[in-house]
Amino acid sequence: MDRAAALATDLRRRGITDVLDDSTSRALHSSDASLYRVPPLLVARPRSAEDVAAAVELCARHEIPLTARGGGTSVAGNAVGPGLVLDFSRHMNQVLRVDAETRTAVVQPGVVQAALQRAAAPYGLRFGPDPSTHTRCTIGGMIGNNACGSRTLGYGRTSDNVAGLKAVTGDGTALDLPGSAPGQVLPAQGTPSPGIPAALRELAMANLATIRTEFGRFGRQMSGYALEHLLPERGFDVARLLVGSEGTLAVLTEATVRLVTDPAHRALVVLGYADIAAAGDAAPGVLEHRPTACEGIDARIVDVVRLRRGPGAVPPLPRGAAWLFVEIAGDDEAEVLERAARLAAGGEDALVVTDPAESAALWRIREDGAGLSGRSPAGRPAHAGWEDAAVPPAMLGRYLRDFEALLAGHGLTGLPYGHFGDGCLHIRLDVPLDRPGGREKFRDFLVAAATLVAGYGGSLSGEHGDGRARSELLPLMYSQAAIDLFAGVKAIFDPGDVLNPGVLVRPRPLDADLRVPAARPVREGLALAYRHDGGDFGQAVHRCTGVGKCRADNTAAGGVMCPSYLATREEKDSTRGRARVLQEMINGSDVTGGWRSPEVHEALDLCLSCKGCASDCPTGIDMAAYKSEVLHQTYKGRVRPLTHYSLGRLPRWARLASRMPRAVNALMRVPGLPALAGVDRRRGLPEFARETFRAWFERRRPMSSPTGARPVMLFVDTFTDHFAPEIGRATVKVLEAAGYRPRISGRRQCCALTWISTGQLDAARAILGRTVAELAEAAGQGVPIVGMEPSCTAVLRSDALELLDEAVAGPVAGMTRTLAELLSGTLGWRPPALDGVTVVAQPHCHHHAVMGWEQDLRLLREAGARVSRLGGCCGLAGNFGVEKGHYDVSVAVAEHQLLPAIRDAGPGAAVLADGFSCRTQIADLSARRGTHLAQLLADRLP
């Protein structure tokens, strides 16, 4: 029995039943949000403090390292390790209690920061530190790194907000430590518990001069251990020493954290500057106005937001090429506005924003910075490793100028932004790690950058910790006496070097264990173009930097990604998890077998191909495309699963069924027959229409169009034509009322959606190629092409550019519109009145991801409707929810937002669902029926 198997056996014997030793789980946990890859021997997901203590004890006995992991959002490689990874996010993720009187909360380490905020909100309280990953990072991870976030100026760091910790040291000692409030000195009884040897106090007392001169010099000095908390004048606060120790001294089992009240009023002041260094110069002066946040960005990151999300994604900004976002907050509205006005008056150009929605749109630029900066201004992959250095704020402007010069000297670019009020700069750099000499260039730059920041009295890390990226560089910042102190502290807490070895003390080389694309690109024989990744599938899947936004519940804000993860809460069902498995497939290490690897198909099985990640993931991952490619490569020239023939070629069967729809409908009602086609027995199948939309259109007499009626091409998709012709009829009615003269696409045209989603990409290319060639005539004449089914419209707008020559598909994509897009751009058109109508809207996932649903929302509101926009996926997602083995997950996805919203909707509310899949799911799982935008408008026309 090998070491991993022996440890797994012992863990299970001690009652730790959730132990994962399969290659998929190891691949999923081999990286975090950093540039590093360290496959673990196995993964365990503890349920209690007793489980944690047993795991530490057994790792020490087997001499196997242990690494604690929360949400896996660590950027410096702090949450990966070669032995046992303890994943706290699965079970130990509860807020145990909130005490409004003492303003504290007791939490388990795996609780997500946003979940703590939700638990504290009913009491008018919140946890102060708010990193940009707050929707998925865990409190344990925040304690491990001493996380800060944008509002440190108002609320302090995590270490300032810890009231007590329970943990287990590397030698198995259980700690129950109180914490002091900022500026408070602990009383005598606050000295360490008996589990901490007296040697810790002796070590501190013997090195007071070193601690007083080298530690705690400014707020964002996060590198190394926070030894300033061992000073007698600071109360020998061991709890605050553990904050920021990156899991190298003890494993957290419970934390008591302080809560604060949210100010009643906020104002965002945006100040414009000539460049980012000028913004850095101005930041110290902003602090005089007592802001809760002072963040810096420049035009490089704003340009990326506009490119990725459209011109309307960035509200108007003051003149300049760099900006400070300054939040002024307080309980007195007049006082807040007065401070904001005073600050704005001192700038060359300024904007004061009090509207919460507009402020949120601006803050979103900053919040998505880590993901958006995953591609450099030069369009190359950009990496973490030197992403959060900090200097005393008074030095920031000068440091930024020298840093920009350093980048230019090394031929590197990146998108800088950061916590300028704290002197902290975030940036990812396009070091060519996949090219010869790339690793040497990475090392040379990090050494030079560390030397530069140390020269300014700064810190290698301003909040992310040192991890594998910077621990080796600590001697450039600290004296040998300080480095020896780190080793002494480590020896007291973890004498066997069990906990997170290779970090902080006896560090791994910074260029070891790097996770980079394979040196040999994956280009041969691909079906999709991967236009934005140089045609390289490897570069495409390595877009995932691990920021983990796919693990967050963003549906309340209209987000879609990642519906299967929200249903199962399993890492393998997140976009990040799937990307990690695909990366391992390319590496050929833990996942062998290439395209046909069982691990790959297991990870992709519950991907709904919703495309939510294509818009919601800040790094631009498109897992639906990658799944299609994997299925294409796997079954090329081989027998496919049954549903690829039945559901994947649905348009062909629909054309045949249209010849005798009544007989086919009767046949489909025969018990057990749909199951023979791979359909779940609990699913009802929609009936074929007795008259297709195309047949109706061709036999009808069009309304008399006014002189000069504008031509428009209706793209007739399979779903509208054969299953829901009433939507086509309503679309024609609305378009003719708006002054258009509709005509319909050719009889044999199809977007090949079902072939694409099942990976039949050679056939899809041929089918879609014919369709695009025929539509090109209308596009060339400037005739808009209107799609009625969102998923098919999205194919013409997006997938066609990946499957076909861009020169051919581009003009068609450019002329393809949704109904709302066309109507909103129609001069003189006004929507029919929807005053008083409540609309519960389920935007189709592809509509959200590819076209965006903003025009639909605007149109409905202009018509007077009260709109409740849902996020998330309906759960059916084409053939996904119909197939055997997917029903339960499909229903769980629908229960996340869609079904509760329908149950809560009043009897008079309209349930808006343009997607055929969405309407089918609604009809299957509720007593309501979905309606299309065209029907909603047509029913209210004169």
PDB file of all heavy atoms in Angstrom, residues 286-298:
ATOM      1  N   VAL A 286      -5.955  62.521  -0.872  1.00  0.00           N
ATOM      2  CA  VAL A 286      -7.353  62.099  -0.749  1.00  0.00           C
ATOM      3  C   VAL A 286      -7.654  61.625   0.670  1.00  0.00           C
ATOM      4  O   VAL A 286      -8.775  61.772   1.167  1.00  0.00           O
ATOM      5  CB  VAL A 286      -7.650  60.986  -1.782  1.00  0.00           C
ATOM      6  CG1 VAL A 286      -9.001  60.332  -1.516  1.00  0.00           C
ATOM      7  CG2 VAL A 286      -7.604  61.544  -3.202  1.00  0.00           C
ATOM      8  N   LEU A 287      -6.648  61.057   1.340  1.00  0.00           N
ATOM      9  CA  LEU A 287      -6.868  60.488   2.664  1.00  0.00           C
ATOM     10  C   LEU A 287      -7.320  61.533   3.677  1.00  0.00           C
ATOM     11  O   LEU A 287      -7.932  61.194   4.692  1.00  0.00           O
ATOM     12  CB  LEU A 287      -5.591  59.797   3.155  1.00  0.00           C
ATOM     13  CG  LEU A 287      -5.038  58.680   2.252  1.00  0.00           C
ATOM     14  CD1 LEU A 287      -3.815  58.040   2.886  1.00  0.00           C
ATOM     15  CD2 LEU A 287      -6.107  57.638   1.968  1.00  0.00           C
ATOM     16  N   GLU A 288      -7.027  62.807   3.414  1.00  0.00           N
ATOM     17  CA  GLU A 288      -7.455  63.872   4.324  1.00  0.00           C
ATOM     18  C   GLU A 288      -8.980  63.956   4.413  1.00  0.00           C
ATOM     19  O   GLU A 288      -9.527  64.504   5.362  1.00  0.00           O
ATOM     20  CB  GLU A 288      -6.884  65.217   3.857  1.00  0.00           C
ATOM     21  CG  GLU A 288      -5.358  65.255   3.817  1.00  0.00           C
ATOM     22  CD  GLU A 288      -4.841  66.518   3.140  1.00  0.00           C
ATOM     23  OE1 GLU A 288      -5.681  67.392   2.803  1.00  0.00           O
ATOM     24  OE2 GLU A 288      -3.618  66.626   2.941  1.00  0.00           O
ATOM     25  N   HIS A 289      -9.679  63.420   3.406  1.00  0.00           N
ATOM     26  CA  HIS A 289     -11.142  63.503   3.366  1.00  0.00           C
ATOM     27  C   HIS A 289     -11.807  62.296   4.026  1.00  0.00           C
ATOM     28  O   HIS A 289     -13.006  62.103   3.885  1.00  0.00           O
ATOM     29  CB  HIS A 289     -11.607  63.643   1.918  1.00  0.00           C
ATOM     30  CG  HIS A 289     -11.114  64.898   1.259  1.00  0.00           C
ATOM     31  ND1 HIS A 289     -11.822  66.084   1.262  1.00  0.00           N
ATOM     32  CD2 HIS A 289      -9.950  65.152   0.586  1.00  0.00           C
ATOM     33  CE1 HIS A 289     -11.129  67.006   0.607  1.00  0.00           C
ATOM     34  NE2 HIS A 289      -9.993  66.471   0.186  1.00  0.00           N
ATOM     35  N   ARG A 290     -11.025  61.456   4.707  1.00  0.00           N
ATOM     36  CA  ARG A 290     -11.500  60.298   5.449  1.00  0.00           C
ATOM     37  C   ARG A 290     -12.341  59.356   4.590  1.00  0.00           C
ATOM     38  O   ARG A 290     -13.472  59.008   4.932  1.00  0.00           O
ATOM     39  CB  ARG A 290     -12.291  60.730   6.687  1.00  0.00           C
ATOM     40  CG  ARG A 290     -11.556  61.724   7.584  1.00  0.00           C
ATOM     41  CD  ARG A 290     -12.250  61.946   8.919  1.00  0.00           C
ATOM     42  NE  ARG A 290     -13.679  62.095   8.847  1.00  0.00           N
ATOM     43  CZ  ARG A 290     -14.325  63.208   8.516  1.00  0.00           C
ATOM     44  NH1 ARG A 290     -13.636  64.309   8.242  1.00  0.00           N
ATOM     45  NH2 ARG A 290     -15.635  63.249   8.503  1.00  0.00           N
ATOM     46  N   PRO A 291     -11.817  58.896   3.463  1.00  0.00           N
ATOM     47  CA  PRO A 291     -12.594  57.973   2.624  1.00  0.00           C
ATOM     48  C   PRO A 291     -12.610  56.571   3.205  1.00  0.00           C
ATOM     49  O   PRO A 291     -11.730  56.200   3.996  1.00  0.00           O
ATOM     50  CB  PRO A 291     -11.821  57.994   1.301  1.00  0.00           C
ATOM     51  CG  PRO A 291     -10.406  58.239   1.711  1.00  0.00           C
ATOM     52  CD  PRO A 291     -10.479  59.177   2.896  1.00  0.00           C
ATOM     53  N   THR A 292     -13.604  55.795   2.820  1.00  0.00           N
ATOM     54  CA  THR A 292     -13.592  54.370   3.158  1.00  0.00           C
ATOM     55  C   THR A 292     -12.867  53.572   2.088  1.00  0.00           C
ATOM     56  O   THR A 292     -12.461  52.428   2.328  1.00  0.00           O
ATOM     57  CB  THR A 292     -15.025  53.823   3.298  1.00  0.00           C
ATOM     58  OG1 THR A 292     -15.755  54.114   2.110  1.00  0.00           O
ATOM     59  CG2 THR A 292     -15.719  54.452   4.489  1.00  0.00           C
ATOM     60  N   ALA A 293     -12.699  54.154   0.890  1.00  0.00           N
ATOM     61  CA  ALA A 293     -11.983  53.467  -0.188  1.00  0.00           C
ATOM     62  C   ALA A 293     -11.364  54.503  -1.101  1.00  0.00           C
ATOM     63  O   ALA A 293     -11.925  55.589  -1.306  1.00  0.00           O
ATOM     64  CB  ALA A 293     -12.923  52.561  -0.978  1.00  0.00           C
ATOM     65  N   CYS A 294     -10.197  54.162  -1.639  1.00  0.00           N
ATOM     66  CA  CYS A 294      -9.532  55.012  -2.631  1.00  0.00           C
ATOM     67  C   CYS A 294      -8.825  54.072  -3.609  1.00  0.00           C
ATOM     68  O   CYS A 294      -7.726  53.596  -3.347  1.00  0.00           O
ATOM     69  CB  CYS A 294      -8.542  55.968  -1.969  1.00  0.00           C
ATOM     70  SG  CYS A 294      -7.623  56.989  -3.160  1.00  0.00           S
ATOM     71  N   GLU A 295      -9.475  53.803  -4.737  1.00  0.00           N
ATOM     72  CA  GLU A 295      -9.012  52.815  -5.707  1.00  0.00           C
ATOM     73  C   GLU A 295      -8.530  53.501  -6.987  1.00  0.00           C
ATOM     74  O   GLU A 295      -9.122  54.488  -7.424  1.00  0.00           O
ATOM     75  CB  GLU A 295     -10.129  51.844  -6.053  1.00  0.00           C
ATOM     76  CG  GLU A 295     -10.670  51.087  -4.847  1.00  0.00           C
ATOM     77  CD  GLU A 295      -9.665  50.095  -4.309  1.00  0.00           C
ATOM     78  OE1 GLU A 295      -9.400  49.087  -4.991  1.00  0.00           O
ATOM     79  OE2 GLU A 295      -9.136  50.338  -3.213  1.00  0.00           O
ATOM     80  N   GLY A 296      -7.489  52.954  -7.582  1.00  0.00           N
ATOM     81  CA  GLY A 296      -6.947  53.518  -8.808  1.00  0.00           C
ATOM     82  C   GLY A 296      -7.065  52.568  -9.981  1.00  0.00           C
ATOM     83  O   GLY A 296      -6.814  51.368  -9.849  1.00  0.00           O
ATOM     84  N   ILE A 297      -7.478  53.088 -11.140  1.00  0.00           N
ATOM     85  CA  ILE A 297      -7.465  52.328 -12.394  1.00  0.00           C
ATOM     86  C   ILE A 297      -6.991  53.272 -13.485  1.00  0.00           C
ATOM     87  O   ILE A 297      -6.913  54.488 -13.285  1.00  0.00           O
ATOM     88  CB  ILE A 297      -8.850  51.767 -12.767  1.00  0.00           C
ATOM     89  CG1 ILE A 297      -9.846  52.904 -13.020  1.00  0.00           C
ATOM     90  CG2 ILE A 297      -9.372  50.835 -11.691  1.00  0.00           C
ATOM     91  CD1 ILE A 297     -11.159  52.423 -13.607  1.00  0.00           C
ATOM     92  N   ASP A 298      -6.666  52.708 -14.646  1.00  0.00           N
ATOM     93  CA  ASP A 298      -6.352  53.593 -15.765  1.00  0.00           C
ATOM     94  C   ASP A 298      -7.037  53.100 -17.033  1.00  0.00           C
ATOM     95  O   ASP A 298      -7.799  52.128 -17.025  1.00  0.00           O
ATOM     96  CB  ASP A 298      -4.845  53.803 -15.930  1.00  0.00           C
ATOM     97  CG  ASP A 298      -4.144  52.658 -16.635  1.00  0.00           C
ATOM     98  OD1 ASP A 298      -4.756  51.607 -16.854  1.00  0.00           O
ATOM     99  OD2 ASP A 298      -2.952  52.828 -16.963  1.00  0.00           O
TER     100      ASP A 298
END
